[in-house]
Amino acid sequence: MDTVKYLLDESRIPKNWYNIAADLPKPPPPVLHPGTGQPVGPADLEPLFPMELILQEVSAEREIQIPEPVREIYKQWRPSPLHRARRLEKALGTTAKIYYKYEGVSPAGSHKPNTSIPQAFYNKAAGVKKLTTETGAGQWGSSLAFAGAVFGLPVDVYMVKISYQQKPYRRALMETYGARCVASPSEETNAGRTILKANPNSTGSLGIAISEAVEMAAQDPNTKYALGSVLNHVLMHQSVIGLEAIAQMEMAGDDPDIVIGCAGGGSNFAGIAFPFLGQNFRGGKKRQIVAVEPAACPTMTRGKYAYDFGDTGHLTPLVKMHTLGSTFMPAGIHAGGLRYHGMAPMVSHLLELGAISPEAYNQTECFEAAVTFARAEGIVPAPESSHAIKSAVAHALKAKAEGKSPTILFCLSGHGHFDMAAYTDYFAGKLVDAPYDQKALDKALSELPKVAAE
Ligand SMILES: *Cc1c(COP(=O)(O)O)cnc(C)c1O
């Protein structure tokens, strides 16, 4: 058979999210208050998040029940399909078996609605009247806009200015869902005005947009903030990906030796990998768990494991993570969703423990792999997802060279239908590899906050 698709019925949408905190060999370092340097408590986070999400953020329970209204909405695109990439295997002539879990079937076209829906649900239940957020390439903004439309919650999205100008269709999608989209840095916030005063031509960054969205939420008791990656509760909501994949790999009569996800803030990677990693920790089969990042924004492979701010304006708590420094400006690569200076603290902790292997690739080799994939499997991947594909292809070719036949599973985090301009540039030979600037990195790292606890 040429294509094989493993589908679960609706009744097999997970009833609980999986929380890896319950299975860690060692607890992660605490989150610190930027003023006092002391660990933050739930009350410190209350201006930004509803209590239900704060409790999930600090929970050590292995399973947290998915509210029934959230499961009902998940049914629109979950369980998502798992495919055996037979035609890709053939195109590569590999002895490896390749499977992918496809998250591009959600309304917004990526894994992000897996968390935007529960986040909007808990905010609505807590009586919140408005949500603010930031978005880079626009996937998170459109996913939260969709969730806002579902629950009747207004959403203000601060969109990195360069993307606002270059990706008008993602903006149009957010507006179609009813969200308000503002180019960041903007004149609406202190954080935005400060940046614009220093540099009127600033094209923005995720770190700046986060500052703007956090500032707006912090000053209005009826407004809260939603983050699309990085935080523990976000990673946990994404565990539906891996929980379903475990059941689907069983249906396929197979078991992955290598599990791969691309990593910007780390949420789709955690989603596919943590349920498998939990099995590793609980004494199950040992698998290789791979997180893939762009060489132009090499947080895990070149960053420092240190306390840092999540944003440029330094409004967020301090978290210990692999970071390039909150002032680092990654080159303008097309995988906008992977251009974040930090990495989820939970992913960083697991990297420190040696439980996961990081890899970094340049964007042209990722686009090459994406095109090979599209021609074999028919799905045009998001530029972010192409990093996972590149890694899967590299592992499959290595297996062929070594005469081995591992089973590879990767997360195809989204489709690239809103990124076709990037493909056009690639075919025109206009895409260049943008290596990170070592001097700029050294400078950003020298500006990391000094933390007594270290
Ligand atoms: C946002 C996004 C990513 C990166 O975010 P993570 O939190 O690291 O998953 C990857 N792929 C797609 C398609 C995205 O939209």
Side-chain angles (χ1 to χ4, degrees):
M1 211 191 306
D2 235 357
T3 50
V4 193
K5 182 156 90 171
Y6 297 92
L7 290 172
L8 300 169
D9 65 71
E10 281 177 8
S11 70
R12 302 205 52 194
I13 295 174
K15 296 207 164 49
N16 300 292
W17 289 300
Y18 167 66
N19 181 10
I20 199 164
D23 290 320
L24 292 174
K26 190 181 150 198
V31 174
L32 303 181
H33 191 286
T36 64
Q38 293 303 308
V40 299
D44 293 312
L45 299 172
E46 257 195 299
L48 295 185
F49 303 106
M51 196 39 84
E52 232 12 80
L53 289 176
I54 295 171
L55 294 176
Q56 290 183 4
E57 188 61 24
V58 298
S59 170
E61 293 286 315
R62 181 173 291 126
E63 294 190 325
I64 291 183
Q65 199 181 353
I66 304 177
E68 208 41 48
V70 170
R71 280 185 88 239
E72 276 303 311
I73 298 162
Y74 275 175
K75 279 182 187 168
Q76 192 183 349
W77 69 94
R78 307 217 68 83
S80 69
L82 179 104
H83 300 259
R84 168 99 183 254
R86 293 231 188 228
R87 293 195 299 252
L88 177 66
E89 290 170 14
K90 213 156 143 199
L92 300 173
T94 179
T95 41
K97 288 189 248 179
I98 307 176
Y99 292 84
Y100 60 96
K101 176 80 166 154
Y102 185 40
E103 291 296 313
V105 290
S106 81
S110 77
H111 64 291
K112 292 198 170 79
N114 297 333
T115 186
S116 70
I117 290 294
Q119 288 194 48
F121 169 81
Y122 289 117
N123 275 286
K124 184 75 180 183
V128 171
K129 297 285 180 273
K130 192 206 259 187
L131 290 174
T132 64
T133 196
E134 72 291 329
T135 196
Q139 289 116 327
W140 170 242
S142 46
S143 299
L144 193 67
F146 159 56
V150 168
F151 291 103
L153 266 177
V155 176
D156 280 359
V157 183
Y158 292 85
M159 184 171 189
V160 177
K161 194 174 278 170
I162 184 93
S163 303
Y164 183 90
Q165 290 161 348
Q166 289 179 349
K167 300 192 184 245
Y169 296 132
R170 276 278 167 199
R171 193 197 337 158
L173 182 59
M174 288 179 236
E175 289 170 353
T176 303
Y177 288 137
R180 194 173 71 93
C181 186
V182 182
S184 166
S186 79
E187 292 287 349
E188 293 188 1
T189 64
N190 275 329
R193 287 188 293 269
T194 306
I195 298 280
L196 287 173
K197 212 166 148 205
N199 177 10
N201 298 322
S202 168
T203 51
S205 72
L206 263 184
I208 296 170
I210 294 175
S211 296
E212 294 209 89
V214 166
E215 182 181 325
M216 291 309 264
Q219 67 195 24
D220 177 357
N222 290 316
T223 299
K224 300 249 185 251
Y225 167 71
L227 186 62
S229 188
V230 176
L231 297 176
N232 294 336
H233 66 266
V234 179
L235 272 48
M236 191 185 70
H237 297 159
Q238 294 297 351
S239 66
V240 288
I241 303 172
L243 292 169
E244 288 175 8
I246 286 174
Q248 286 164 311
M249 289 303 303
E250 270 169 25
M251 276 175 91
D254 231 330
D255 194 358
D257 302 297
I258 308 172
V259 179
I260 302 171
C262 67
S267 76
N268 88 88
F269 163 72
I272 189 101
F274 282 8
F276 285 103
L277 202 50
Q279 293 185 334
N280 287 15
F281 286 145
R282 295 194 302 276
K285 173 174 164 175
K286 294 278 172 281
R287 305 178 179 87
Q288 189 184 357
I289 308 283
V290 181
V292 193
E293 65 186 6
C297 189
T299 316
M300 293 177 289
T301 52
R302 296 269 184 267
K304 197 172 161 196
Y305 186 50
Y307 274 100
D308 196 7
F309 292 97
D311 69 325
T312 309
H314 296 178
L315 302 174
T316 68
L318 290 166
V319 292
K320 193 156 188 187
M321 60 181 175
H322 288 85
T323 179
L324 301 169
S326 64
T327 52
F328 183 76
M329 282 279 188
I333 54 166
H334 278 284
L338 305 183
R339 283 182 71 218
Y340 181 59
H341 69 270
M343 182 51 60
M346 189 59 86
V347 173
S348 295
H349 180 61
L350 290 162
L351 187 56
E352 277 305 292
L353 293 177
I356 60 185
S357 358
E359 294 177 5
Y361 295 103
N362 285 304
Q363 66 174 352
T364 50
E365 56 188 343
C366 292
F367 270 92
E368 186 188 357
V371 170
T372 303
F373 180 84
R375 289 179 186 173
E377 299 291 319
I379 298 171
V380 178
E384 291 82 4
S385 318
S386 74
H387 289 72
I389 299 175
K390 170 64 198 173
S391 170
V393 167
H395 283 273
L397 293 177
K398 181 164 169 268
K400 177 175 152 183
E402 293 173 350
K404 293 188 180 152
S405 45
T407 298
I408 300 169
L409 167 66
F410 72 89
C411 181
L412 184 59
S413 51
H415 67 65
H417 297 176
F418 288 92
D419 301 282
M420 295 317 293
Y423 280 87
T424 306
D425 283 353
Y426 171 69
F427 293 126
K430 284 193 206 155
L431 276 200
V432 288
D433 287 333
Y436 68 97
D437 177 345
Q438 185 67 50
K439 271 208 188 109
L441 176 57
D442 291 342
K443 178 164 187 296
L445 288 177
S446 74
E447 291 165 1
L448 284 174
K450 305 276 176 286
V451 176
E454 276 180 297

